[in-house]
Amino acid sequence: MTTSVTAYAAPAPKAPLERTTVERRALREHDVLIEIAYAGICHSDIHQAREEWGTALFPMVPGHEIAGVVAEVGSAVTKYAVGDRVGVGCFVDSCRECENCLAGEEQYCLKGEVPTYNGNEYDGAPTYGGYSTHTVVDENYVLRIPEGISLDVAAPLLCAGITLYSPLAHWNAGPGKKVAIVGLGGLGHMGVKIAHAMGAEVTVLSQTLRKKDDGLRLGADHFYATGDESTFTELAGTFDLIVNTTSANLPLDGYLSLLKVDGTLVHVGAPENPSAFSQFSLIMGRRSMAGSKIGGIRQTQEMLDFCAEHGLGAEIELIDGDQINEAYDRVVSSDVRYRFVIDIASLKA
């Protein structure tokens, strides 16, 4: 028998989110029922609720930065027990059979992973995300949140944290490497923290110097304004790795010029419109341009353990459910430092 739970949903594209109820499935033998404590607001929630990334499914309950506590387990669950601190990220299932799933890269499942919201389970049932009091997820797609990270600052790690950890780890950020993070927002601020903890020399590239003090406090060694044209002259040929966290169309040739020979520009943000660049920007320095999604379950757990070891959590502003629509507008206006997190207890009032 399904269970009705309180949630906030967008009833239609671009419509304000409103309080409602959704159905959660009865526990299967490997399922975990999670009582959600906190849910982060990711900019991708806004893109999807406003149908800016193509046709979406409504009503939509966004939220793929979920932290909470196990409330009940299925009969065959072995990984978790009632009371465990857990999280759920951007997907809740995958085929488990393709080469990518078998390699622990479920985010690149060849059948298509099942997104935490705005998607369908393989049986066709719609998925609803973390802006709700409870969720039901297969134990193999649940993460353990280590002691040492409070649940509120841990929630954004399930998307923002892993979105930055994965490319930083893949392209070997660490001692002796010069890393630039483009944009100091919900993603970028975690990139600064993680790259610094990995031992890299970290530079923030932001439009202005408005957030310079924050950037240095979070672990950046340097902070430059990209609105100042001299930045691109001064930093030409500097970086081993640049991670672009913005969802804006950047002048890519300028950013590629900042890379050393064999350097890589990695995009983790996705603008609405295609971007253009000259192939000579790659050819003349044997440079690479790449994209990165999130991480698989194994790497996401690795990220959580790394953050616990280094005392890392997101910089958050805690809000109630009835503030979600205002928060969406503030995210679009870049008026948040640096992640809104919904206190799900407010949904129970």
Side-chain angles (χ1 to χ4, degrees), residues 234-299:
E234 182 178 349
L235 297 180
T238 294
F239 300 108
D240 299 285
L241 175 65
I242 300 173
V243 182
N244 171 28
T245 71
T246 71
S247 56
N249 290 98
L250 299 180
L252 295 180
D253 294 303
Y255 285 87
L256 288 166
S257 74
L258 303 181
L259 292 170
K260 294 180 178 179
V261 170
D262 289 329
T264 303
L265 170 61
V266 182
H267 299 282
V268 298
E272 286 187 63
N273 301 308
S275 298
F277 69 98
S278 168
Q279 279 84 347
F280 281 109
S281 295
L282 302 178
I283 291 169
M284 301 309 290
R286 199 166 62 197
R287 302 179 179 109
S288 300
M289 187 157 62
S292 180
K293 201 175 179 182
I294 44 175
I297 295 298
R298 182 175 59 212
Q299 189 179 53

Coordinates of all heavy atoms in Angstrom, one line a residue, residues 234-299:
E234 N 47.0 38.5 -17.7 CA 47.9 38.2 -16.6 C 47.9 36.7 -16.3 O 49.0 36.2 -15.9 CB 47.4 38.9 -15.3 CG 48.2 38.7 -14.1 CD 47.7 39.5 -12.9 OE1 46.8 40.4 -13.1 OE2 48.2 39.2 -11.8
L235 N 46.8 36.0 -16.5 CA 46.7 34.6 -16.2 C 46.9 33.6 -17.4 O 46.7 32.4 -17.2 CB 45.4 34.3 -15.5 CG 45.2 35.0 -14.1 CD1 43.8 34.6 -13.6 CD2 46.3 34.7 -13.1
A236 N 47.2 34.1 -18.5 CA 47.4 33.3 -19.7 C 48.3 32.1 -19.4 O 49.4 32.3 -18.9 CB 47.8 34.1 -20.9
G237 N 47.9 30.9 -19.8 CA 48.8 29.8 -19.7 C 49.1 29.3 -18.3 O 50.1 28.6 -18.0
T238 N 48.2 29.6 -17.3 CA 48.4 29.4 -15.9 C 48.0 28.0 -15.4 O 48.7 27.4 -14.6 CB 47.8 30.5 -15.0 OG1 48.4 31.7 -15.3 CG2 47.9 30.2 -13.5
F239 N 46.8 27.6 -15.8 CA 46.1 26.5 -15.0 C 46.2 25.1 -15.7 O 46.1 25.0 -16.9 CB 44.6 26.9 -14.9 CG 44.4 28.2 -14.1 CD1 44.0 29.3 -14.8 CD2 44.7 28.3 -12.8 CE1 43.8 30.5 -14.1 CE2 44.5 29.5 -12.1 CZ 44.1 30.6 -12.8
D240 N 46.3 24.1 -14.8 CA 46.3 22.7 -15.2 C 44.8 22.3 -15.4 O 44.5 21.5 -16.3 CB 46.8 21.8 -14.1 CG 48.3 22.1 -13.8 OD1 49.1 21.7 -14.6 OD2 48.6 22.7 -12.8
L241 N 43.9 22.9 -14.6 CA 42.5 22.5 -14.7 C 41.6 23.7 -14.3 O 41.9 24.5 -13.4 CB 42.2 21.4 -13.6 CG 40.8 20.9 -13.4 CD1 40.2 20.3 -14.7 CD2 40.7 20.0 -12.3
I242 N 40.6 23.9 -15.1 CA 39.6 25.0 -14.9 C 38.3 24.2 -14.8 O 37.9 23.5 -15.8 CB 39.6 26.1 -15.9 CG1 40.9 26.8 -16.0 CG2 38.5 27.1 -15.7 CD1 41.0 27.8 -17.2
V243 N 37.5 24.5 -13.8 CA 36.2 23.9 -13.7 C 35.2 25.0 -13.7 O 35.1 25.9 -12.9 CB 36.0 23.1 -12.4 CG1 34.6 22.5 -12.3 CG2 37.0 22.0 -12.2
N244 N 34.3 25.0 -14.8 CA 33.3 26.0 -15.0 C 32.0 25.6 -14.4 O 31.4 24.7 -14.8 CB 33.2 26.3 -16.5 CG 32.0 27.2 -16.8 OD1 31.6 28.1 -15.9 ND2 31.4 27.1 -17.9
T245 N 31.6 26.3 -13.3 CA 30.4 26.0 -12.6 C 29.2 26.8 -13.0 O 28.1 26.6 -12.5 CB 30.6 26.1 -11.1 OG1 30.6 27.5 -10.8 CG2 31.8 25.5 -10.6
T246 N 29.4 27.7 -13.9 CA 28.3 28.7 -14.2 C 27.4 28.1 -15.3 O 27.7 27.1 -16.0 CB 28.8 30.0 -14.8 OG1 29.4 29.8 -16.1 CG2 29.9 30.5 -13.9
S247 N 26.2 28.6 -15.4 CA 25.2 28.2 -16.4 C 25.0 29.3 -17.4 O 24.0 29.5 -18.0 CB 23.8 27.8 -15.8 OG 23.4 28.9 -15.0
A248 N 26.1 30.1 -17.6 CA 26.1 31.2 -18.6 C 26.9 30.8 -19.8 O 27.8 30.0 -19.7 CB 26.6 32.5 -17.9
N249 N 26.7 31.5 -20.9 CA 27.5 31.3 -22.1 C 28.7 32.1 -22.0 O 28.7 33.4 -22.1 CB 26.7 31.6 -23.3 CG 25.6 30.6 -23.6 OD1 24.4 30.9 -23.3 ND2 25.9 29.5 -24.2
L250 N 29.8 31.5 -21.7 CA 31.1 32.2 -21.5 C 31.8 32.4 -22.8 O 31.7 31.6 -23.7 CB 32.0 31.5 -20.5 CG 31.4 31.2 -19.1 CD1 32.4 30.5 -18.3 CD2 31.1 32.5 -18.4
P251 N 32.7 33.4 -22.9 CA 33.7 33.5 -24.0 C 34.7 32.5 -23.9 O 35.8 32.7 -23.3 CB 34.2 34.9 -23.9 CG 34.1 35.3 -22.4 CD 32.9 34.5 -21.9
L252 N 34.5 31.3 -24.4 CA 35.3 30.1 -24.2 C 36.7 30.3 -24.6 O 37.6 29.7 -24.0 CB 34.7 28.9 -24.8 CG 33.3 28.5 -24.2 CD1 32.8 27.2 -25.0 CD2 33.4 28.2 -22.7
D253 N 37.0 31.0 -25.7 CA 38.3 31.1 -26.1 C 39.2 31.8 -25.1 O 40.4 31.5 -24.9 CB 38.4 31.9 -27.5 CG 37.7 31.1 -28.6 OD1 38.1 29.9 -28.9 OD2 36.7 31.6 -29.2
G254 N 38.6 32.8 -24.4 CA 39.3 33.5 -23.4 C 39.7 32.6 -22.2 O 40.8 32.6 -21.7
Y255 N 38.8 31.7 -21.8 CA 39.0 30.8 -20.7 C 40.0 29.7 -21.1 O 40.9 29.3 -20.3 CB 37.7 30.2 -20.2 CG 36.9 31.2 -19.4 CD1 36.0 32.1 -20.0 CD2 37.1 31.3 -18.0 CE1 35.3 33.0 -19.2 CE2 36.4 32.2 -17.2 CZ 35.5 33.1 -17.9 OH 34.9 34.0 -17.1
L256 N 39.9 29.2 -22.4 CA 40.9 28.2 -22.8 C 42.3 28.8 -22.9 O 43.2 28.0 -22.6 CB 40.4 27.7 -24.2 CG 39.2 26.8 -24.2 CD1 38.7 26.6 -25.7 CD2 39.5 25.4 -23.6
S257 N 42.4 30.1 -23.1 CA 43.8 30.7 -23.1 C 44.4 30.7 -21.8 O 45.6 30.9 -21.7 CB 43.7 32.1 -23.7 OG 43.1 33.0 -22.7
L258 N 43.7 30.4 -20.7 CA 44.2 30.4 -19.4 C 44.9 29.1 -19.0 O 45.5 29.0 -18.0 CB 43.1 30.8 -18.4 CG 42.4 32.1 -18.5 CD1 41.3 32.3 -17.4 CD2 43.3 33.3 -18.6
L259 N 44.7 28.1 -19.9 CA 45.2 26.8 -19.6 C 46.6 26.6 -20.0 O 47.1 27.2 -21.0 CB 44.4 25.7 -20.3 CG 42.9 25.5 -19.9 CD1 42.2 24.6 -20.9 CD2 42.9 24.9 -18.5
K260 N 47.4 25.8 -19.2 CA 48.7 25.4 -19.7 C 48.6 24.4 -20.8 O 47.5 24.0 -21.2 CB 49.4 24.7 -18.5 CG 49.7 25.5 -17.3 CD 50.4 24.6 -16.2 CE 50.8 25.3 -15.0 NZ 51.5 24.4 -14.0
V261 N 49.7 24.1 -21.4 CA 49.8 23.0 -22.4 C 49.2 21.7 -21.7 O 49.6 21.5 -20.5 CB 51.2 22.7 -22.9 CG1 51.3 21.4 -23.7 CG2 51.6 23.9 -23.8
D262 N 48.3 21.0 -22.3 CA 47.7 19.8 -21.8 C 46.7 20.1 -20.7 O 46.2 19.2 -20.0 CB 48.7 18.8 -21.3 CG 49.5 18.1 -22.4 OD1 48.9 18.0 -23.5 OD2 50.7 17.8 -22.2
G263 N 46.4 21.4 -20.5 CA 45.4 21.7 -19.5 C 43.9 21.4 -20.0 O 43.7 21.2 -21.2
T264 N 43.0 21.3 -19.0 CA 41.6 20.9 -19.4 C 40.6 21.9 -18.7 O 40.8 22.3 -17.6 CB 41.3 19.5 -18.8 OG1 42.3 18.6 -19.4 CG2 39.9 19.1 -19.2
L265 N 39.7 22.3 -19.6 CA 38.5 23.1 -19.1 C 37.3 22.2 -19.0 O 36.9 21.6 -20.0 CB 38.2 24.3 -20.1 CG 36.9 25.0 -19.9 CD1 36.9 25.7 -18.5 CD2 36.7 26.0 -21.0
V266 N 36.8 22.0 -17.8 CA 35.7 21.1 -17.6 C 34.4 21.9 -17.2 O 34.5 22.7 -16.4 CB 36.0 20.1 -16.4 CG1 34.8 19.1 -16.2 CG2 37.3 19.4 -16.7
H267 N 33.3 21.6 -17.9 CA 32.1 22.2 -17.7 C 31.2 21.3 -16.8 O 31.0 20.1 -17.1 CB 31.3 22.5 -19.0 CG 32.1 23.4 -19.9 ND1 32.1 24.7 -19.8 CD2 32.8 23.1 -21.0 CE1 32.9 25.3 -20.7 NE2 33.3 24.3 -21.5
V268 N 30.7 21.9 -15.7 CA 29.7 21.2 -14.9 C 28.4 22.0 -14.9 O 27.4 21.4 -14.4 CB 30.2 20.9 -13.5 CG1 31.4 20.0 -13.5 CG2 30.5 22.2 -12.7
G269 N 28.4 23.2 -15.4 CA 27.1 24.0 -15.5 C 26.7 23.9 -17.0 O 27.5 23.7 -17.9
A270 N 25.4 24.0 -17.2 CA 24.8 23.9 -18.5 C 23.9 25.1 -18.8 O 22.8 25.2 -18.3 CB 23.9 22.6 -18.6
P271 N 24.4 25.9 -19.7 CA 23.6 27.1 -20.2 C 22.4 26.6 -21.1 O 22.5 25.5 -21.6 CB 24.5 27.9 -21.0 CG 25.6 27.0 -21.4 CD 25.7 26.0 -20.4
E272 N 21.4 27.4 -21.2 CA 20.3 27.1 -22.1 C 20.7 27.0 -23.5 O 20.1 26.1 -24.3 CB 19.2 28.2 -21.9 CG 18.4 28.2 -20.6 CD 17.3 29.1 -20.7 OE1 16.4 28.9 -21.5 OE2 17.3 30.1 -19.9
N273 N 21.6 27.8 -24.0 CA 21.9 27.9 -25.4 C 23.3 27.3 -25.7 O 24.2 27.4 -24.8 CB 21.8 29.3 -25.9 CG 20.4 29.9 -25.7 OD1 19.5 29.3 -26.1 ND2 20.4 31.0 -25.0
P274 N 23.6 26.8 -26.9 CA 24.9 26.3 -27.2 C 26.0 27.4 -27.1 O 25.7 28.6 -27.3 CB 24.8 25.8 -28.6 CG 23.3 25.5 -28.8 CD 22.6 26.6 -28.0
S275 N 27.2 27.0 -26.9 CA 28.3 27.9 -26.9 C 29.2 27.7 -28.0 O 29.3 26.6 -28.6 CB 29.1 27.8 -25.6 OG 28.4 28.1 -24.4
A276 N 30.0 28.7 -28.4 CA 30.9 28.6 -29.6 C 32.3 28.8 -29.1 O 32.6 29.6 -28.2 CB 30.5 29.6 -30.7
F277 N 33.3 28.2 -29.8 CA 34.7 28.5 -29.6 C 35.5 28.1 -30.8 O 35.0 27.4 -31.7 CB 35.2 27.6 -28.4 CG 35.3 26.2 -28.6 CD1 36.5 25.5 -29.0 CD2 34.1 25.4 -28.5 CE1 36.5 24.2 -29.3 CE2 34.2 24.0 -28.8 CZ 35.4 23.4 -29.1
S278 N 36.7 28.6 -30.9 CA 37.6 28.3 -32.0 C 38.4 27.0 -31.7 O 39.0 27.0 -30.6 CB 38.5 29.4 -32.3 OG 39.6 29.1 -33.2
Q279 N 38.5 26.1 -32.6 CA 39.3 24.9 -32.4 C 40.8 25.3 -32.2 O 41.5 24.5 -31.5 CB 39.2 23.9 -33.6 CG 37.9 23.1 -33.5 CD 36.7 23.8 -34.1 OE1 36.7 25.0 -34.3 NE2 35.6 23.1 -34.4
F280 N 41.2 26.4 -32.7 CA 42.6 26.8 -32.5 C 42.9 27.0 -31.0 O 44.1 26.9 -30.6 CB 42.9 28.1 -33.3 CG 43.2 27.8 -34.8 CD1 42.3 28.2 -35.7 CD2 44.3 27.2 -35.2 CE1 42.5 28.0 -37.1 CE2 44.6 26.9 -36.5 CZ 43.6 27.3 -37.5
S281 N 41.9 27.3 -30.2 CA 42.1 27.5 -28.8 C 42.6 26.2 -28.1 O 43.2 26.2 -27.1 CB 40.9 28.0 -28.1 OG 40.5 29.3 -28.6
L282 N 42.2 25.1 -28.7 CA 42.6 23.8 -28.3 C 43.9 23.3 -28.9 O 44.8 22.9 -28.3 CB 41.5 22.7 -28.6 CG 40.1 22.9 -28.0 CD1 39.2 21.8 -28.4 CD2 40.2 23.0 -26.5
I283 N 44.0 23.5 -30.2 CA 45.1 23.0 -31.0 C 46.4 23.6 -30.6 O 47.4 23.0 -30.4 CB 44.9 23.3 -32.5 CG1 43.7 22.4 -33.0 CG2 46.1 23.1 -33.3 CD1 43.2 22.8 -34.4
M284 N 46.4 25.0 -30.3 CA 47.7 25.6 -30.0 C 48.3 25.3 -28.7 O 49.5 25.6 -28.5 CB 47.5 27.2 -30.1 CG 47.0 27.6 -31.5 SD 47.9 27.0 -32.9 CE 49.5 27.9 -32.7
G285 N 47.6 24.7 -27.8 CA 48.1 24.3 -26.5 C 47.9 22.8 -26.2 O 48.0 22.5 -25.0
R286 N 47.5 22.0 -27.1 CA 47.1 20.6 -26.9 C 46.2 20.6 -25.7 O 46.2 19.7 -24.8 CB 48.3 19.8 -26.7 CG 48.0 18.3 -26.9 CD 49.3 17.4 -27.0 NE 50.1 17.5 -25.8 CZ 51.4 17.2 -25.7 NH1 52.0 16.8 -26.8 NH2 52.1 17.3 -24.6
R287 N 45.2 21.6 -25.7 CA 44.3 21.7 -24.5 C 43.1 20.8 -24.8 O 42.8 20.4 -25.9 CB 43.9 23.1 -24.4 CG 45.1 24.1 -24.1 CD 44.6 25.5 -24.0 NE 45.6 26.4 -23.7 CZ 46.1 27.3 -24.6 NH1 45.5 27.4 -25.8 NH2 47.1 28.2 -24.3
S288 N 42.4 20.5 -23.7 CA 41.1 19.7 -23.8 C 40.0 20.5 -23.2 O 40.2 21.3 -22.3 CB 41.3 18.4 -23.0 OG 42.4 17.6 -23.6
M289 N 38.8 20.2 -23.7 CA 37.6 20.7 -23.1 C 36.7 19.5 -22.9 O 36.5 18.7 -23.7 CB 36.9 21.8 -24.0 CG 35.7 22.5 -23.3 SD 35.3 24.1 -24.0 CE 34.9 23.6 -25.7
A290 N 36.1 19.5 -21.7 CA 35.3 18.3 -21.3 C 34.1 18.7 -20.5 O 33.9 19.9 -20.1 CB 36.2 17.3 -20.5
G291 N 33.3 17.7 -20.2 CA 32.1 17.9 -19.3 C 32.2 16.8 -18.3 O 32.8 15.8 -18.4
S292 N 31.5 17.1 -17.2 CA 31.4 16.1 -16.1 C 30.0 16.2 -15.5 O 29.5 17.3 -15.3 CB 32.5 16.4 -15.1 OG 32.4 15.4 -14.0
K293 N 29.5 15.1 -15.1 CA 28.1 15.0 -14.6 C 28.2 15.0 -13.0 O 28.7 16.0 -12.4 CB 27.4 13.8 -15.1 CG 25.9 13.8 -15.0 CD 25.4 12.6 -15.7 CE 23.9 12.5 -15.7 NZ 23.3 11.3 -16.3
I294 N 27.8 14.0 -12.4 CA 28.0 13.8 -11.0 C 28.9 12.7 -10.8 O 29.8 12.5 -11.5 CB 26.6 13.6 -10.3 CG1 25.8 12.6 -11.1 CG2 25.8 14.9 -10.1 CD1 24.5 12.2 -10.5
G295 N 28.8 11.9 -9.7 CA 29.6 10.7 -9.5 C 28.7 9.5 -9.3 O 27.5 9.6 -9.1
G296 N 29.3 8.3 -9.4 CA 28.5 7.1 -9.1 C 28.4 7.0 -7.6 O 28.8 7.8 -6.8
I297 N 27.7 6.0 -7.2 CA 27.4 5.7 -5.8 C 28.7 5.6 -5.0 O 28.9 6.2 -3.9 CB 26.5 4.5 -5.6 CG1 25.1 4.7 -6.2 CG2 26.4 4.1 -4.1 CD1 24.3 5.9 -5.6
R298 N 29.6 4.8 -5.5 CA 30.9 4.6 -4.8 C 31.7 5.9 -4.6 O 32.2 6.2 -3.5 CB 31.7 3.6 -5.6 CG 33.1 3.2 -4.9 CD 33.8 2.1 -5.7 NE 34.0 2.5 -7.1 CZ 34.0 1.7 -8.1 NH1 33.8 0.4 -7.9 NH2 34.3 2.1 -9.4
Q299 N 31.7 6.7 -5.7 CA 32.5 7.9 -5.6 C 31.8 9.0 -4.7 O 32.4 9.8 -4.0 CB 32.8 8.5 -7.0 CG 33.7 9.7 -6.9 CD 34.0 10.3 -8.3 OE1 33.1 10.7 -9.0 NE2 35.3 10.4 -8.6

